[in-house]
């Protein structure tokens, strides 16, 4: 499943099939979508054809990982 012609809204959770991770849609740059990790971090660019909407389970897992990272920071 791909994003096809439906452009996501800012903040939509997308699963990157290449990186095997969930990112939040930030913007579009030419042929790429810019995603940021759930909970913040460095953006990355991905082609829309390797993205799909994240499942509830994938999004929950990403949020738990983000909370765990935040809890370890001083």
């Amino acid at each position: 499943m791909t994003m096809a012609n439906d452009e996501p809204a800012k903040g939509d959770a997308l699963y990157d099939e290449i990186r095997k991770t969930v990112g939040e849609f930030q913007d579009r740059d030419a042929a790429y979508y810019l995603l940021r990790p759930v909970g913040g971090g460095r953006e990355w660019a991905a082609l829309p054809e390797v993205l799909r909407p994240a499942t509830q389970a994938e999004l929950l897992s990403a949020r738990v990982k983000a909370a765990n990272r935040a809890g370890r920071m001083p």
Side-chain angles (χ1 to χ4, degrees):
M1 183 168 163
T2 63
M3 293 304 298
N5 296 326
D6 295 327
E7 179 128 341
K10 185 168 178 148
D12 281 354
L14 304 175
Y15 185 81
D16 184 330
E17 296 281 356
I18 302 296
R19 289 180 173 240
K20 306 291 186 210
T21 191
V22 175
E24 294 174 338
F25 178 78
Q26 299 299 304
D27 203 356
R28 183 182 184 117
D29 181 24
Y32 295 92
Y33 284 178
L34 301 175
L35 304 173
R36 177 164 286 146
V38 173
R42 187 178 200 151
E43 284 185 355
W44 76 92
L47 290 168
E49 40 292 341
V50 303
L51 301 173
R52 61 169 172 76
T55 66
Q56 289 297 316
E58 290 164 342
L59 182 55
L60 177 60
S61 177
R63 287 178 175 161
V64 168
K65 287 178 188 175
N68 287 339
R69 276 193 312 271
R72 287 193 297 265
M73 299 221 173

